[in-house]
Amino acid sequence: RHDEKGSGFIQTLTDVFIHKKGSILELTEEITRLMANTEVMQEGKPRKVNPEVQSTLRKKLYLQ
Amino acid sequence: MESEMSDPQPLQEERYDMSGARLALTLCVTKAREGSEVDMEALERMFRYLKFESTMKRDPTAQQFLEELDEFQQTIDNWEEPVSCAFVVLMAHGEEGLLKGEDEKMVRLEDLFEVLNNKNCKALRGKPKVYIIQACRGEHRDPGEELRGNEELGGDEELGGDEVAVLKNNPQSIPTYTDTLHIYSTVEGYLSY
């Protein structure tokens, strides 16, 4: 986590859930896509981090 | 066999009814986790925007993770109006299947997930339960893999809101584990028929 900006995962997730429209699975795809396009530096080395979604939802879930 | 070759039919879209109450619980270990307060603020903003009744607890011990979830389950089951949906956010250090409480003891994620399942939380039976887990699941580090010319990532797109806390786009690499859908025939620990 960045001391002042927080974690890439939570910051991306909250931004997408607030600013994008779609079912929650579509939004999580968007979060994965955005995180795939970015990287974090750890001890001077670039690192990739991406979420994993496991779903047993039976219907579309829309939060907006 | 011709009928088996007929055109695929569009899926019938069914939505969860979201007209009832939305409840959220965030449990966050802030100890030795710099930046976690900023994450909690972002979550609070999101829950307010999405009209969730949000409860946030800082620095739970391993036992308190379970106790807070139990209390949340009782709150949901005793809620006066119908409940549509629950979010649970768990933020701590962790290992695969485990979270580390403020007391350095571990709690099993499986035990936490059990509290709100369809058997144990009647008000949420058949209703969506969303878990967001911000925790390590092991020690591996992913340096990414280089893309060839025709395996492009999406273009740069700015989000409408707050800046994310990661470096800007790097189109030369992609995480090792994307573009895969895991479909299991049954949930962990259960037989598949």
Side-chain angles (χ1 to χ4, degrees):
Chain A
R1 288 164 306 283
H2 190 285
D3 291 5
E4 293 169 5
K5 294 180 179 176
S7 68
F9 171 59
I10 293 292
Q11 299 298 320
T12 305
L13 181 146
T14 53
D15 255 344
V16 169
F17 278 16
I18 289 174
H19 296 289
K20 303 280 182 174
K21 277 187 179 173
S23 72
I24 197 163
L25 287 180
E26 290 169 324
L27 297 181
T28 54
E29 282 174 11
E30 175 71 354
I31 294 162
T32 303
R33 189 184 70 80
L34 288 166
M35 291 190 71
N37 284 359
T38 59
E39 65 186 16
V40 294
M41 295 299 287
Q42 187 192 38
E43 295 160 355
K45 293 176 184 169
R47 302 292 187 203
K48 292 291 196 177
V49 185
N50 66 282
E52 178 182 340
V53 180
Q54 299 176 341
S55 170
T56 58
L57 293 178
R58 293 175 301 115
K59 304 175 187 179
K60 299 273 188 188
L61 173 56
Y62 289 90
L63 300 171
Q64 298 273 9
Chain B
M1 291 296 134
E2 247 176 54
S3 60
E4 289 177 15
M5 301 295 284
S6 61
D7 289 340
Q9 299 299 302
L11 290 172
Q12 193 174 351
E13 184 174 311
E14 260 195 282
R15 294 178 177 215
Y16 288 107
D17 175 8
M18 292 293 284
S19 60
R22 305 168 178 205
L23 306 177
L25 173 67
T26 300
L27 302 176
C28 179
V29 175
T30 63
K31 185 178 161 186
R33 295 184 69 254
E34 291 77 14
S36 52
E37 288 290 344
V38 186
D39 283 347
M40 290 183 78
E41 287 165 18
L43 287 161
E44 189 66 72
R45 258 197 317 277
M46 179 188 80
F47 285 132
R48 202 178 314 123
Y49 179 78
L50 297 175
K51 299 181 171 53
F52 274 77
E53 297 271 347
S54 165
T55 304
M56 298 207 156
K57 303 275 180 173
R58 285 170 176 75
D59 298 323
T61 62
Q63 182 62 29
Q64 283 168 343
F65 266 106
L66 282 166
E67 289 170 1
E68 294 293 348
L69 250 300
D70 281 335
E71 196 174 312
F72 189 50
Q73 176 262 314
Q74 285 166 33
T75 302
I76 293 167
D77 273 337
N78 293 323
W79 203 260
E80 288 183 1
E81 306 152 26
V83 177
S84 283
C85 174
F87 265 55
V88 175
V89 185
L90 305 168
M91 300 195 288
H93 289 298
E95 296 170 15
E96 182 58 49
L98 299 168
L99 287 183
K100 189 184 278 184
E102 190 270 343
D103 57 351
E104 306 281 315
K105 291 183 179 165
M106 297 301 226
V107 60
R108 295 197 320 163
L109 278 169
E110 199 181 315
D111 293 340
L112 299 176
F113 297 156
E114 209 166 66
V115 178
L116 299 184
N117 70 17
N118 288 328
K119 181 181 177 187
N120 295 326
C121 186
K122 286 180 182 156
L124 281 179
R125 197 165 282 176
K127 311 278 181 68
K129 301 161 267 283
V130 177
Y131 295 90
I132 297 167
I133 301 114
Q134 162 68 36
C136 287
R137 301 175 73 185
E139 297 286 328
H140 292 297
R141 295 165 169 83
D142 184 3
E145 297 296 333
E146 278 189 25
L147 287 173
R148 294 180 193 147
N150 61 348
E151 297 167 335
E152 289 179 16
L153 288 170
D156 290 35
E157 285 180 32
E158 293 296 328
L159 285 169
D162 296 340
E163 195 177 51
V164 296
V166 285
L167 300 182
K168 289 308 283 183
N169 295 350
N170 175 357
Q172 277 77 49
S173 66
I174 189 170
T176 303
Y177 302 105
T178 58
D179 310 302
T180 304
L181 182 63
H182 296 272
I183 304 172
Y184 299 96
S185 61
T186 187
V187 292
E188 192 176 346
Y190 283 75
L191 286 173
S192 177
Y193 297 100

